[in-house]
Amino acid sequence: MEKLTVVIQAGGASKRMGSPKALVPFCGAPLICRALKRLNSIADELIITTNEPESLKAVCHDTPCDFEFGPPRFCSDLFEERSALNGLHTALHYASNPLVAVVACDMIFPSAPILLLERDMLVEQGADVAVPRVSHGYEPFHAVYRRETCLPLVKAALEKGQTKATIWYEQARLVELDKQTMLEIDPRGGTFINVNTPEELAAVEQRINDGTMTKADE
């Protein structure tokens, strides 16, 4: 099986959160620590992309993880101007392995089993991208990419001034994960919950503490 790089996109300061999302406390630890604990076991290489590497290094150093393939590598964002497509380009650019799983750190339930299924489907079907399709469309930041074929397509889209992460998908060979397939792996349906405000974060944390975190909202 081709090796897999896992890239966690930490991003930068969030006006709505009041601080970098990666450092916002959630259930007793910064959000970035959740992603590390949930995904480090499947990564042949682990990368965190961020424009604040020093602050994240200190936090991640104290995260109690058994990094089977070594601790994460911190890579600065390639672009000052933030966009979804810029972030995807940064992730693919830094990855050393043929297959790249890209995950946003504000996904508080990133799923290692779903990412492994995406990897396997991509390889078996000779695809360029294995991506979940959810109620709002594709979820490009919980997907697996073939670096060799995807990076040139992303670069070409950037050169045309595009910013949307999925704008180039029509030129790639896609394999989609449907809702039923994902629910077989994650019956709670919470994998694709993300948070954008302190209020949203507090609400999810409360549901976890109350034991009512049974599935994602439709």
Side-chain angles (χ1 to χ4, degrees):
M1 179 65 69
E2 295 172 284
K3 289 187 175 182
L4 179 70
T5 294
V6 174
V7 181
I8 301 172
Q9 295 194 311
S14 168
K15 291 181 179 179
R16 298 176 74 183
M17 280 292 189
S19 64
K21 279 187 180 181
L23 298 177
V24 174
F26 181 79
C27 291
L31 273 179
I32 191 67
C33 297
R34 271 186 82 81
L36 287 173
K37 289 179 180 179
R38 295 175 72 92
L39 303 180
N40 83 87
S41 64
I42 67 169
D44 298 293
E45 174 187 47
L46 186 59
I47 294 174
I48 297 174
T49 59
T50 175
N51 56 14
E52 299 182 354
E54 294 308 317
S55 58
L56 286 186
K57 283 180 182 178
V59 168
C60 295
H61 178 75
D62 295 331
T63 301
C65 284
D66 181 13
F67 295 114
E68 184 174 353
F69 299 100
R73 180 158 57 97
F74 293 84
C75 298
S76 297
D77 294 327
L78 292 175
F79 305 92
E80 290 187 12
E81 182 179 353
R82 296 178 63 188
S83 77
L85 193 60
N86 282 345
L88 183 56
H89 178 269
T90 294
L92 295 174
H93 171 84
Y94 284 121
S96 301
N97 291 319
L99 305 181
V100 187
V102 183
V103 178
C105 77
D106 61 355
M107 279 191 171
I108 55 181
F109 298 105
S111 170
I114 287 179
L115 289 171
L116 288 178
L117 177 60
E118 292 171 10
R119 179 202 63 185
D120 293 346
M121 292 175 66
L122 185 150
V123 171
E124 290 168 5
Q125 300 189 34
D128 301 315
V129 184
V131 60
R133 181 181 277 278
V134 293
S135 57
H136 60 266
Y138 292 124
E139 183 44 78
F141 295 109
H142 198 290
V144 174
Y145 299 85
R146 188 178 299 278
R147 185 181 187 275
E148 181 181 13
T149 53
C150 293
L151 186 54
L153 294 175
V154 171
K155 284 182 177 179
L158 282 173
E159 289 170 356
K160 294 178 181 178
Q162 302 290 350
T163 59
K164 186 179 178 181
T166 60
I167 193 70
W168 55 279
Y169 274 16
E170 61 185 21
Q171 300 172 270
R173 296 167 295 177
L174 260 61
V175 56
E176 301 177 9
L177 276 74
D178 60 28
K179 182 177 180 180
Q180 185 56 44
T181 299
M182 290 182 287
L183 285 175
E184 290 173 2
I185 298 174
D186 175 22
R188 294 185 309 174
T191 297
F192 305 106
I193 295 175
N194 63 9
V195 289
N196 296 299
T197 67
E199 292 76 18
E200 290 174 357
L201 196 67
V204 174
E205 187 171 5
Q206 187 63 50
R207 289 169 64 188
I208 291 175
N209 292 335
D210 292 346
T212 58
M213 194 73 211
T214 56
K215 66 176 184 176
D217 295 330
E218 295 293 336

